Amino acid sequence: MNRTTLSLIACATALAAVTGFAAVTSPDTSAPDTTATAAELPVERTSLTCPTPSVSDLAETTYTSFTPVTKGTGSDGKAELRPAVTESADGEDAKDGKDGKTGKASGKGDKDGKGEKEAKAFLTAKEPGKPLAEDVSGSDSPALVGTADGKFAPGWTVQQTTEVAAGTGRGLLGAACTAPDTDFWFPGASTAADRTDYVHLVNPDDSAAVVDIELYGRDGALETTTGEGITVAPHSDDPVLLSTLTTEKLDNVTVHVSVRSGRVGASVQALDDKLGGDWLGASVDPAGSLVIPGIPKDATAVRLIAFAPGDADADLKVRLASPTGQITPAGNETLHLKAGMTGAVDLGDVMRGEPGSLVLTPTGRSVPVVAAVRVVRGKGAGQETAFIPATRPVGTRATVVDNRAKGTTLSLTAPFGAAEVKVTASAGSEGGTPATKSFTIKAGTTQQVEAPVPSGLKGTYALTVESVSGGEVHGARTITDAQDGVSAFTVQTLPDDRGTVAVPKADQDLSVLQQ
């Protein structure tokens, strides 16, 4: 028997096997709809990274983990946060928490990613629908890396909130732990003498990541000395002090973090000698129109920082969405951004006792930009700072955690069309019954809504916002906590949690066997 005959027999056998399989598993042709449409299914795995919260011995940090209940998930799964290694400036391990609580884990923290065992879990979620909180004190609090799968994956949210009683950056610092990615933009950082800004790079994976950090000031790209090819070891947090990357001292800087290989979670810790500090989250990806939601009504100073990363200049209309509609800040109707240069404008006490959101739209041709605002509350020695980046809409669902019985406000804005949303307060971390309210947000307005609070609340709770109908909605949550005369506060946005993914239907197609 020659090779041609053998090949024909093998091909016929393979075709028969595939045809038989297709016959057994083929869909019912009598079904009314056999078109290949996509189904929205819950994600099965979510990763998050939390940066080292503080180097102050006076820091008190609370981590809160929460997953909203999602239909369509199975009964299994888990969500855990584990300590990462914190790298010092010379690349050595700055923390050696061999107890699994305060830094380097046995094995997983090693720079080659190898070891005998994982770090002991710092926090393990108990059940969806109920937040779980863990407190730590001092400067030994580690960076954390975490994974949720199964029923805990869709919408998994972790917040770290730190109170610092005194010193640079004193006040309330809050950050939603971020998903690892390969590209981040941070307008609003600084290399000024009175600022101490770090960009934290947290690598959640078993192999090293290689990262570039670019800085852009009012005149364009800044010359940096060590910003290229930064190696971030596996399962580690590498905080990079921005002022060590350049000799220029600038109030307004845009930071671009790009990853050559691997992936990281990135965030900027901005600490001021006199105005407190907070975490600066990444702006939404560059876009022609941006929304910066939830500026507190008692803000005493608001600064808008924006950047056009492409080759074209951008001209933007600046509008403030107030409770009664969109208004134009006096003297700041538009903002011109030169390509590759950071622009900033001080809006002063533009809020005038009303909550609001900034809406940036192109005056003509749409040019992608990124943006954020720096917000100051209080007066004199009691001033405190927070940052709000431009953010994605709430979309299908968004969640923010670590809400308190007092001092929590929720702002929602519908910049382009009226919308209806449903807001659910979870059970409390130590007790309480969930509660739900619905709200209608008029087009072009920002509403500081009276969010529901769990009945019989003990501990803290989560707020989940779901779009019901109408246009897109953007949201932000503010926590306030007066500390010895300081107007301490922090603001977190509510972007879509991307808890579901479109999975297309697939049908058998024997034409793939034809040559």
Side-chain angles (χ1 to χ4, degrees):
M1 189 177 295
N2 60 33
R3 292 184 178 181
T4 301
T5 304
L6 287 173
S7 299
L8 289 173
I9 294 174
C11 181
T13 303
L15 181 61
V18 173
T19 305
F21 176 78
V24 172
T25 61
S26 62
D28 182 2
T29 56
S30 64
D33 182 15
T34 59
T35 57
T37 57
E40 290 290 331
L41 299 178
V43 298
E44 296 181 353
R45 186 179 178 87
T46 299
S47 297
L48 292 176
T49 64
C50 309
T52 304
S54 180
V55 294
S56 172
D57 291 334
L58 303 177
E60 300 286 339
T61 301
T62 298
Y63 293 93
T64 308
S65 169
F66 176 79
T67 297
V69 176
T70 303
K71 293 182 180 179
T73 60
S75 57
D76 298 328
K78 65 179 180 179
E80 291 183 336
L81 290 167
R82 297 179 182 274
V85 178
T86 300
E87 296 287 319
S88 65
D90 59 4
E92 297 299 323
D93 298 332
K95 296 177 184 175
D96 189 8
K98 296 179 181 178
D99 59 357
K101 280 277 188 178
T102 56
K104 184 177 178 181
S106 176
K108 279 295 185 181
D110 296 341
K111 294 183 180 180
D112 60 1
K114 299 178 181 180
E116 296 179 356
K117 61 180 180 179
E118 291 184 327
K120 179 182 177 182
F122 172 83
L123 185 152
T124 302
K126 297 290 193 294
E127 58 182 302
K130 183 178 180 180
L132 178 67
E134 185 76 32
D135 298 328
V136 291
S137 299
S139 60
D140 288 335
S141 305
L144 301 174
V145 295
T147 302
D149 57 28
K151 64 181 180 180
F152 289 97
W156 185 41
T157 303
V158 178
Q159 162 94 7
Q160 66 176 48
T161 307
T162 303
E163 295 184 15
V164 180
T168 298
R170 58 63 181 138
L172 195 64
L173 296 80
C177 298
T178 59
D181 206 339
T182 58
D183 198 69
F184 304 86
W185 292 95
F186 300 97
S190 176
T191 58
D194 56 358
R195 282 274 290 271
T196 305
D197 287 17
Y198 292 87
V199 57
H200 283 253
L201 308 172
V202 184
N203 179 2
D205 297 324
D206 293 335
S207 57
V210 180
V211 178
D212 292 334
I213 300 177
E214 299 168 315
L215 306 180
Y216 298 89
R218 59 176 177 261
D219 297 322
L222 304 183
E223 184 177 349
T224 59
T225 54
T226 57
E228 294 185 358
I230 298 172
T231 299
V232 185
H235 302 277
S236 72
D237 175 19
D238 190 357
V240 180
L241 181 60
L242 295 185
S243 61
T244 64
L245 301 182
T246 179
T247 58
E248 297 194 47
K249 302 297 182 183
L250 298 175
D251 288 332
N252 305 300
V253 172
T254 298
V255 179
H256 182 212
V257 175
S258 58
V259 184
R260 296 188 194 179
S261 63
R263 57 179 189 158
V264 299
S267 49
V268 171
Q269 189 178 45
L271 308 176
D272 193 283
D273 290 344
K274 297 180 180 179
L275 300 179
D278 209 343
W279 289 96
L280 169 60
S283 170
V284 68
D285 291 340
S289 297
L290 298 175
V291 178
I292 304 173
I295 303 173
K297 64 182 181 180
D298 58 352
T300 55
V302 177
R303 176 183 294 175
L304 169 64
I305 308 98
F307 178 77
D311 297 326
D313 293 358
D315 288 286
L316 301 171
K317 295 179 183 178
V318 180
R319 298 292 183 268
L320 179 67
S322 72
T324 56
Q326 291 193 10
I327 60 176
T328 301
N332 294 292
E333 296 84 0
T334 61
L335 175 63
H336 178 71
L337 295 175
K338 294 184 178 180
M341 302 181 187
T342 297
V345 56
D346 284 316
L347 303 177
D349 58 349
V350 66
M351 308 314 296
R352 299 190 182 278
E354 292 185 330
S357 305
L358 283 181
V359 180
L360 308 178
T361 56
T363 60
R365 184 180 61 155
S366 180
V367 175
V369 296
V370 293
V373 296
R374 189 193 74 169
V375 179
V376 178
R377 291 176 67 245
K379 296 180 179 181
Q383 290 179 302
E384 227 266 90
T385 303
F387 296 87
I388 311 174
T391 187
R392 298 192 307 271
V394 166
T396 302
R397 181 184 66 185
T399 297
V400 65
V401 296
D402 197 18
N403 301 288
R404 292 94 185 269
K406 296 182 180 181
T408 294
T409 57
L410 177 64
S411 292
L412 301 173
T413 184
F416 310 117
E420 182 181 356
V421 298
K422 181 176 73 172
V423 181
T424 300
S426 73
S429 57
E430 299 175 17
T433 304
T436 299
K437 286 185 180 181
S438 294
F439 301 94
T440 298
I441 313 300
K442 294 181 180 180
T445 70
T446 295
Q447 304 296 327
Q448 184 174 299
V449 301
E450 187 177 347
V453 178
S455 59
L457 171 64
K458 294 182 180 180
T460 62
Y461 61 99
L463 283 171
T464 298
V465 180
E466 298 174 85
S467 295
V468 176
S469 63
E472 66 180 45
V473 174
H474 297 250
R477 184 278 315 273
T478 300
I479 303 173
T480 57
D481 182 15
Q483 300 176 358
D484 296 329
V486 175
S487 300
F489 75 115
T490 184
V491 183
Q492 282 75 51
T493 59
L494 285 94
D496 190 327
D497 66 18
R498 295 176 175 174
T500 60
V501 62
V503 179
K505 294 181 180 178
D507 294 324
Q508 291 82 10
D509 184 2
L510 295 181
S511 65
V512 298
L513 298 175
Q514 298 178 355
Q515 295 291 331

